[in-house]
PDB file of all heavy atoms in Angstrom:
ATOM      1  N   ARG A 876     -20.108 -62.526  55.343  1.00  0.00           N
ATOM      2  CA  ARG A 876     -21.396 -61.833  55.411  1.00  0.00           C
ATOM      3  C   ARG A 876     -21.350 -60.589  54.551  1.00  0.00           C
ATOM      4  O   ARG A 876     -20.324 -59.976  54.437  1.00  0.00           O
ATOM      5  CB  ARG A 876     -21.711 -61.439  56.841  1.00  0.00           C
ATOM      6  CG  ARG A 876     -22.024 -62.625  57.742  1.00  0.00           C
ATOM      7  CD  ARG A 876     -22.231 -62.206  59.192  1.00  0.00           C
ATOM      8  NE  ARG A 876     -22.619 -63.344  60.005  1.00  0.00           N
ATOM      9  CZ  ARG A 876     -23.875 -63.555  60.431  1.00  0.00           C
ATOM     10  NH1 ARG A 876     -24.851 -62.746  60.080  1.00  0.00           N
ATOM     11  NH2 ARG A 876     -24.118 -64.622  61.191  1.00  0.00           N
ATOM     12  N   PRO A 877     -22.485 -60.196  53.967  1.00  0.00           N
ATOM     13  CA  PRO A 877     -23.771 -60.868  54.001  1.00  0.00           C
ATOM     14  C   PRO A 877     -23.816 -62.040  53.061  1.00  0.00           C
ATOM     15  O   PRO A 877     -23.087 -62.112  52.057  1.00  0.00           O
ATOM     16  CB  PRO A 877     -24.730 -59.748  53.573  1.00  0.00           C
ATOM     17  CG  PRO A 877     -23.944 -58.955  52.619  1.00  0.00           C
ATOM     18  CD  PRO A 877     -22.508 -58.959  53.182  1.00  0.00           C
ATOM     19  N   TYR A 878     -24.702 -62.978  53.343  1.00  0.00           N
ATOM     20  CA  TYR A 878     -24.891 -64.122  52.487  1.00  0.00           C
ATOM     21  C   TYR A 878     -26.389 -64.513  52.523  1.00  0.00           C
ATOM     22  O   TYR A 878     -27.097 -64.114  53.406  1.00  0.00           O
ATOM     23  CB  TYR A 878     -24.035 -65.318  52.879  1.00  0.00           C
ATOM     24  CG  TYR A 878     -24.349 -65.876  54.257  1.00  0.00           C
ATOM     25  CD1 TYR A 878     -25.399 -66.721  54.426  1.00  0.00           C
ATOM     26  CD2 TYR A 878     -23.534 -65.559  55.350  1.00  0.00           C
ATOM     27  CE1 TYR A 878     -25.692 -67.211  55.711  1.00  0.00           C
ATOM     28  CE2 TYR A 878     -23.822 -66.028  56.611  1.00  0.00           C
ATOM     29  CZ  TYR A 878     -24.892 -66.877  56.789  1.00  0.00           C
ATOM     30  OH  TYR A 878     -25.179 -67.372  58.019  1.00  0.00           O
ATOM     31  N   THR A 879     -26.769 -65.325  51.558  1.00  0.00           N
ATOM     32  CA  THR A 879     -28.083 -65.930  51.566  1.00  0.00           C
ATOM     33  C   THR A 879     -27.930 -67.389  51.334  1.00  0.00           C
ATOM     34  O   THR A 879     -27.141 -67.810  50.446  1.00  0.00           O
ATOM     35  CB  THR A 879     -28.973 -65.296  50.415  1.00  0.00           C
ATOM     36  OG1 THR A 879     -29.082 -63.880  50.659  1.00  0.00           O
ATOM     37  CG2 THR A 879     -30.308 -65.951  50.372  1.00  0.00           C
ATOM     38  N   MET A 880     -28.636 -68.167  52.100  1.00  0.00           N
ATOM     39  CA  MET A 880     -28.678 -69.629  51.865  1.00  0.00           C
ATOM     40  C   MET A 880     -30.081 -69.987  51.478  1.00  0.00           C
ATOM     41  O   MET A 880     -31.056 -69.524  52.080  1.00  0.00           O
ATOM     42  CB  MET A 880     -28.218 -70.414  53.104  1.00  0.00           C
ATOM     43  CG  MET A 880     -26.731 -70.184  53.438  1.00  0.00           C
ATOM     44  SD  MET A 880     -26.085 -71.305  54.658  1.00  0.00           S
ATOM     45  CE  MET A 880     -25.889 -72.799  53.677  1.00  0.00           C
ATOM     46  N   ALA A 881     -30.172 -70.863  50.486  1.00  0.00           N
ATOM     47  CA  ALA A 881     -31.463 -71.173  49.929  1.00  0.00           C
ATOM     48  C   ALA A 881     -31.600 -72.644  49.643  1.00  0.00           C
ATOM     49  O   ALA A 881     -30.582 -73.314  49.457  1.00  0.00           O
ATOM     50  CB  ALA A 881     -31.718 -70.376  48.636  1.00  0.00           C
ATOM     51  N   TRP A 882     -32.810 -73.114  49.592  1.00  0.00           N
ATOM     52  CA  TRP A 882     -33.142 -74.450  49.121  1.00  0.00           C
ATOM     53  C   TRP A 882     -33.898 -74.329  47.806  1.00  0.00           C
ATOM     54  O   TRP A 882     -34.829 -73.534  47.689  1.00  0.00           O
ATOM     55  CB  TRP A 882     -33.985 -75.207  50.149  1.00  0.00           C
ATOM     56  CG  TRP A 882     -33.273 -75.645  51.343  1.00  0.00           C
ATOM     57  CD1 TRP A 882     -33.217 -75.031  52.554  1.00  0.00           C
ATOM     58  CD2 TRP A 882     -32.449 -76.846  51.445  1.00  0.00           C
ATOM     59  NE1 TRP A 882     -32.437 -75.735  53.428  1.00  0.00           N
ATOM     60  CE2 TRP A 882     -31.938 -76.847  52.789  1.00  0.00           C
ATOM     61  CE3 TRP A 882     -32.106 -77.857  50.595  1.00  0.00           C
ATOM     62  CZ2 TRP A 882     -31.106 -77.878  53.221  1.00  0.00           C
ATOM     63  CZ3 TRP A 882     -31.292 -78.858  51.066  1.00  0.00           C
ATOM     64  CH2 TRP A 882     -30.794 -78.843  52.344  1.00  0.00           C
ATOM     65  N   TYR A 883     -33.423 -75.113  46.852  1.00  0.00           N
ATOM     66  CA  TYR A 883     -34.091 -75.244  45.549  1.00  0.00           C
ATOM     67  C   TYR A 883     -34.535 -76.698  45.394  1.00  0.00           C
ATOM     68  O   TYR A 883     -33.997 -77.576  46.082  1.00  0.00           O
ATOM     69  CB  TYR A 883     -33.168 -74.862  44.400  1.00  0.00           C
ATOM     70  CG  TYR A 883     -32.954 -73.385  44.212  1.00  0.00           C
ATOM     71  CD1 TYR A 883     -32.143 -72.667  45.103  1.00  0.00           C
ATOM     72  CD2 TYR A 883     -33.496 -72.681  43.144  1.00  0.00           C
ATOM     73  CE1 TYR A 883     -31.902 -71.297  44.966  1.00  0.00           C
ATOM     74  CE2 TYR A 883     -33.261 -71.346  42.971  1.00  0.00           C
ATOM     75  CZ  TYR A 883     -32.511 -70.641  43.865  1.00  0.00           C
ATOM     76  OH  TYR A 883     -32.290 -69.323  43.681  1.00  0.00           O
ATOM     77  N   ARG A 884     -35.382 -76.955  44.435  1.00  0.00           N
ATOM     78  CA  ARG A 884     -35.721 -78.321  44.130  1.00  0.00           C
ATOM     79  C   ARG A 884     -35.956 -78.470  42.622  1.00  0.00           C
ATOM     80  O   ARG A 884     -36.342 -77.508  41.965  1.00  0.00           O
ATOM     81  CB  ARG A 884     -36.957 -78.801  44.888  1.00  0.00           C
ATOM     82  CG  ARG A 884     -38.284 -78.109  44.547  1.00  0.00           C
ATOM     83  CD  ARG A 884     -39.384 -78.580  45.474  1.00  0.00           C
ATOM     84  NE  ARG A 884     -40.661 -77.956  45.143  1.00  0.00           N
ATOM     85  CZ  ARG A 884     -41.743 -78.060  45.872  1.00  0.00           C
ATOM     86  NH1 ARG A 884     -41.706 -78.797  47.027  1.00  0.00           N
ATOM     87  NH2 ARG A 884     -42.868 -77.497  45.537  1.00  0.00           N
ATOM     88  N   GLN A 885     -35.725 -79.668  42.146  1.00  0.00           N
ATOM     89  CA  GLN A 885     -35.937 -79.951  40.740  1.00  0.00           C
ATOM     90  C   GLN A 885     -36.529 -81.346  40.579  1.00  0.00           C
ATOM     91  O   GLN A 885     -35.935 -82.343  40.965  1.00  0.00           O
ATOM     92  CB  GLN A 885     -34.633 -79.863  39.984  1.00  0.00           C
ATOM     93  CG  GLN A 885     -34.773 -79.995  38.471  1.00  0.00           C
ATOM     94  CD  GLN A 885     -33.515 -79.597  37.722  1.00  0.00           C
ATOM     95  OE1 GLN A 885     -32.415 -79.576  38.272  1.00  0.00           O
ATOM     96  NE2 GLN A 885     -33.654 -79.281  36.424  1.00  0.00           N
ATOM     97  N   ALA A 886     -37.730 -81.377  40.034  1.00  0.00           N
ATOM     98  CA  ALA A 886     -38.421 -82.605  39.752  1.00  0.00           C
ATOM     99  C   ALA A 886     -38.101 -83.023  38.313  1.00  0.00           C
ATOM    100  O   ALA A 886     -37.788 -82.194  37.498  1.00  0.00           O
ATOM    101  CB  ALA A 886     -39.927 -82.463  39.958  1.00  0.00           C
ATOM    102  N   PRO A 887     -38.201 -84.322  37.981  1.00  0.00           N
ATOM    103  CA  PRO A 887     -37.890 -84.751  36.588  1.00  0.00           C
ATOM    104  C   PRO A 887     -38.740 -83.975  35.588  1.00  0.00           C
ATOM    105  O   PRO A 887     -39.953 -83.868  35.717  1.00  0.00           O
ATOM    106  CB  PRO A 887     -38.288 -86.255  36.649  1.00  0.00           C
ATOM    107  CG  PRO A 887     -38.084 -86.634  38.074  1.00  0.00           C
ATOM    108  CD  PRO A 887     -38.530 -85.446  38.856  1.00  0.00           C
ATOM    109  N   GLY A 888     -38.083 -83.471  34.594  1.00  0.00           N
ATOM    110  CA  GLY A 888     -38.743 -82.792  33.515  1.00  0.00           C
ATOM    111  C   GLY A 888     -39.104 -81.309  33.847  1.00  0.00           C
ATOM    112  O   GLY A 888     -39.630 -80.621  32.993  1.00  0.00           O
ATOM    113  N   ASN A 889     -38.773 -80.878  35.052  1.00  0.00           N
ATOM    114  CA  ASN A 889     -39.082 -79.504  35.438  1.00  0.00           C
ATOM    115  C   ASN A 889     -37.793 -78.699  35.643  1.00  0.00           C
ATOM    116  O   ASN A 889     -36.725 -79.255  35.855  1.00  0.00           O
ATOM    117  CB  ASN A 889     -39.876 -79.502  36.767  1.00  0.00           C
ATOM    118  CG  ASN A 889     -41.257 -80.038  36.624  1.00  0.00           C
ATOM    119  OD1 ASN A 889     -41.719 -80.352  35.516  1.00  0.00           O
ATOM    120  ND2 ASN A 889     -41.973 -80.122  37.729  1.00  0.00           N
ATOM    121  N   GLN A 890     -37.971 -77.397  35.627  1.00  0.00           N
ATOM    122  CA  GLN A 890     -36.866 -76.493  35.953  1.00  0.00           C
ATOM    123  C   GLN A 890     -36.619 -76.454  37.418  1.00  0.00           C
ATOM    124  O   GLN A 890     -37.514 -76.749  38.246  1.00  0.00           O
ATOM    125  CB  GLN A 890     -37.138 -75.083  35.419  1.00  0.00           C
ATOM    126  CG  GLN A 890     -37.147 -74.995  33.928  1.00  0.00           C
ATOM    127  CD  GLN A 890     -37.271 -73.529  33.437  1.00  0.00           C
ATOM    128  OE1 GLN A 890     -37.782 -72.678  34.165  1.00  0.00           O
ATOM    129  NE2 GLN A 890     -36.735 -73.236  32.269  1.00  0.00           N
ATOM    130  N   ARG A 891     -35.405 -76.156  37.812  1.00  0.00           N
ATOM    131  CA  ARG A 891     -35.085 -75.971  39.211  1.00  0.00           C
ATOM    132  C   ARG A 891     -35.800 -74.744  39.745  1.00  0.00           C
ATOM    133  O   ARG A 891     -35.833 -73.710  39.130  1.00  0.00           O
ATOM    134  CB  ARG A 891     -33.571 -75.796  39.410  1.00  0.00           C
ATOM    135  CG  ARG A 891     -33.109 -75.929  40.858  1.00  0.00           C
ATOM    136  CD  ARG A 891     -31.572 -76.002  40.922  1.00  0.00           C
ATOM    137  NE  ARG A 891     -31.032 -77.204  40.280  1.00  0.00           N
ATOM    138  CZ  ARG A 891     -29.754 -77.552  40.359  1.00  0.00           C
ATOM    139  NH1 ARG A 891     -28.910 -76.839  41.081  1.00  0.00           N
ATOM    140  NH2 ARG A 891     -29.347 -78.644  39.725  1.00  0.00           N
ATOM    141  N   GLU A 892     -36.470 -74.910  40.887  1.00  0.00           N
ATOM    142  CA  GLU A 892     -37.263 -73.820  41.426  1.00  0.00           C
ATOM    143  C   GLU A 892     -36.819 -73.520  42.873  1.00  0.00           C
ATOM    144  O   GLU A 892     -36.413 -74.399  43.634  1.00  0.00           O
ATOM    145  CB  GLU A 892     -38.734 -74.132  41.404  1.00  0.00           C
ATOM    146  CG  GLU A 892     -39.157 -75.316  42.243  1.00  0.00           C
ATOM    147  CD  GLU A 892     -40.673 -75.548  42.269  1.00  0.00           C
ATOM    148  OE1 GLU A 892     -41.401 -74.762  41.642  1.00  0.00           O
ATOM    149  OE2 GLU A 892     -41.106 -76.505  42.937  1.00  0.00           O
ATOM    150  N   LEU A 893     -36.970 -72.248  43.224  1.00  0.00           N
ATOM    151  CA  LEU A 893     -36.654 -71.797  44.590  1.00  0.00           C
ATOM    152  C   LEU A 893     -37.760 -72.279  45.534  1.00  0.00           C
ATOM    153  O   LEU A 893     -38.918 -72.082  45.274  1.00  0.00           O
ATOM    154  CB  LEU A 893     -36.546 -70.296  44.646  1.00  0.00           C
ATOM    155  CG  LEU A 893     -36.344 -69.651  46.023  1.00  0.00           C
ATOM    156  CD1 LEU A 893     -34.982 -70.039  46.597  1.00  0.00           C
ATOM    157  CD2 LEU A 893     -36.446 -68.139  45.933  1.00  0.00           C
ATOM    158  N   VAL A 894     -37.348 -72.876  46.658  1.00  0.00           N
ATOM    159  CA  VAL A 894     -38.263 -73.305  47.669  1.00  0.00           C
ATOM    160  C   VAL A 894     -38.313 -72.304  48.831  1.00  0.00           C
ATOM    161  O   VAL A 894     -39.381 -71.867  49.254  1.00  0.00           O
ATOM    162  CB  VAL A 894     -37.881 -74.676  48.231  1.00  0.00           C
ATOM    163  CG1 VAL A 894     -38.752 -75.084  49.385  1.00  0.00           C
ATOM    164  CG2 VAL A 894     -37.883 -75.711  47.134  1.00  0.00           C
ATOM    165  N   ALA A 895     -37.130 -71.921  49.342  1.00  0.00           N
ATOM    166  CA  ALA A 895     -37.085 -70.987  50.470  1.00  0.00           C
ATOM    167  C   ALA A 895     -35.650 -70.450  50.584  1.00  0.00           C
ATOM    168  O   ALA A 895     -34.728 -71.086  50.125  1.00  0.00           O
ATOM    169  CB  ALA A 895     -37.497 -71.672  51.777  1.00  0.00           C
ATOM    170  N   TYR A 896     -35.539 -69.268  51.192  1.00  0.00           N
ATOM    171  CA  TYR A 896     -34.175 -68.783  51.476  1.00  0.00           C
ATOM    172  C   TYR A 896     -34.175 -68.055  52.819  1.00  0.00           C
ATOM    173  O   TYR A 896     -35.220 -67.661  53.371  1.00  0.00           O
ATOM    174  CB  TYR A 896     -33.679 -67.872  50.376  1.00  0.00           C
ATOM    175  CG  TYR A 896     -34.335 -66.507  50.229  1.00  0.00           C
ATOM    176  CD1 TYR A 896     -34.057 -65.478  51.101  1.00  0.00           C
ATOM    177  CD2 TYR A 896     -35.210 -66.275  49.180  1.00  0.00           C
ATOM    178  CE1 TYR A 896     -34.670 -64.214  50.944  1.00  0.00           C
ATOM    179  CE2 TYR A 896     -35.801 -65.032  49.004  1.00  0.00           C
ATOM    180  CZ  TYR A 896     -35.514 -64.005  49.890  1.00  0.00           C
ATOM    181  OH  TYR A 896     -36.123 -62.759  49.715  1.00  0.00           O
ATOM    182  N   ILE A 897     -32.978 -67.935  53.374  1.00  0.00           N
ATOM    183  CA  ILE A 897     -32.734 -67.214  54.613  1.00  0.00           C
ATOM    184  C   ILE A 897     -31.461 -66.369  54.422  1.00  0.00           C
ATOM    185  O   ILE A 897     -30.498 -66.853  53.907  1.00  0.00           O
ATOM    186  CB  ILE A 897     -32.643 -68.197  55.832  1.00  0.00           C
ATOM    187  CG1 ILE A 897     -32.523 -67.399  57.122  1.00  0.00           C
ATOM    188  CG2 ILE A 897     -31.506 -69.183  55.644  1.00  0.00           C
ATOM    189  CD1 ILE A 897     -32.731 -68.266  58.369  1.00  0.00           C
ATOM    190  N   THR A 898     -31.523 -65.140  54.909  1.00  0.00           N
ATOM    191  CA  THR A 898     -30.337 -64.279  54.762  1.00  0.00           C
ATOM    192  C   THR A 898     -29.524 -64.358  56.074  1.00  0.00           C
ATOM    193  O   THR A 898     -30.006 -64.840  57.111  1.00  0.00           O
ATOM    194  CB  THR A 898     -30.784 -62.833  54.545  1.00  0.00           C
ATOM    195  OG1 THR A 898     -31.403 -62.308  55.719  1.00  0.00           O
ATOM    196  CG2 THR A 898     -31.721 -62.694  53.383  1.00  0.00           C
ATOM    197  N   SER A 899     -28.294 -63.832  56.007  1.00  0.00           N
ATOM    198  CA  SER A 899     -27.448 -63.806  57.214  1.00  0.00           C
ATOM    199  C   SER A 899     -28.039 -62.926  58.270  1.00  0.00           C
ATOM    200  O   SER A 899     -27.690 -63.072  59.442  1.00  0.00           O
ATOM    201  CB  SER A 899     -26.031 -63.334  56.830  1.00  0.00           C
ATOM    202  OG  SER A 899     -26.095 -62.110  56.094  1.00  0.00           O
ATOM    203  N   GLY A 900     -28.984 -62.056  57.889  1.00  0.00           N
ATOM    204  CA  GLY A 900     -29.692 -61.215  58.873  1.00  0.00           C
ATOM    205  C   GLY A 900     -30.899 -61.886  59.462  1.00  0.00           C
ATOM    206  O   GLY A 900     -31.541 -61.343  60.349  1.00  0.00           O
ATOM    207  N   GLY A 901     -31.238 -63.068  58.936  1.00  0.00           N
ATOM    208  CA  GLY A 901     -32.369 -63.795  59.499  1.00  0.00           C
ATOM    209  C   GLY A 901     -33.685 -63.703  58.749  1.00  0.00           C
ATOM    210  O   GLY A 901     -34.681 -64.286  59.140  1.00  0.00           O
ATOM    211  N   SER A 902     -33.704 -62.912  57.654  1.00  0.00           N
ATOM    212  CA  SER A 902     -34.934 -62.799  56.890  1.00  0.00           C
ATOM    213  C   SER A 902     -35.170 -64.047  56.098  1.00  0.00           C
ATOM    214  O   SER A 902     -34.239 -64.689  55.627  1.00  0.00           O
ATOM    215  CB  SER A 902     -34.844 -61.578  55.937  1.00  0.00           C
ATOM    216  OG  SER A 902     -34.711 -60.396  56.662  1.00  0.00           O
ATOM    217  N   THR A 903     -36.460 -64.436  55.960  1.00  0.00           N
ATOM    218  CA  THR A 903     -36.791 -65.633  55.267  1.00  0.00           C
ATOM    219  C   THR A 903     -37.884 -65.339  54.186  1.00  0.00           C
ATOM    220  O   THR A 903     -38.595 -64.342  54.278  1.00  0.00           O
ATOM    221  CB  THR A 903     -37.327 -66.726  56.202  1.00  0.00           C
ATOM    222  OG1 THR A 903     -38.519 -66.222  56.874  1.00  0.00           O
ATOM    223  CG2 THR A 903     -36.282 -67.096  57.225  1.00  0.00           C
ATOM    224  N   ASN A 904     -37.946 -66.213  53.216  1.00  0.00           N
ATOM    225  CA  ASN A 904     -38.964 -66.116  52.194  1.00  0.00           C
ATOM    226  C   ASN A 904     -39.234 -67.504  51.671  1.00  0.00           C
ATOM    227  O   ASN A 904     -38.338 -68.381  51.685  1.00  0.00           O
ATOM    228  CB  ASN A 904     -38.506 -65.202  51.054  1.00  0.00           C
ATOM    229  CG  ASN A 904     -39.678 -64.739  50.205  1.00  0.00           C
ATOM    230  OD1 ASN A 904     -40.827 -64.788  50.653  1.00  0.00           O
ATOM    231  ND2 ASN A 904     -39.380 -64.264  48.999  1.00  0.00           N
TER     232      ASN A 904
END
């Protein structure tokens, strides 16, 4: 700690994009 875990996604022909993240403190975006 501290850390952040996130989900990204990448569709064909597109750049990888951030979907959501959560911190070790519990904050989300």
Side-chain angles (χ1 to χ4, degrees):
R876 289 176 177 257
Y878 63 80
T879 299
M880 293 192 77
W882 286 98
Y883 284 73
R884 66 187 181 187
Q885 187 168 19
N889 290 357
Q890 291 187 334
R891 193 171 295 189
E892 63 175 358
L893 175 66
V894 175
Y896 69 77
I897 185 167
T898 69
S899 50
S902 298
T903 60
N904 198 19

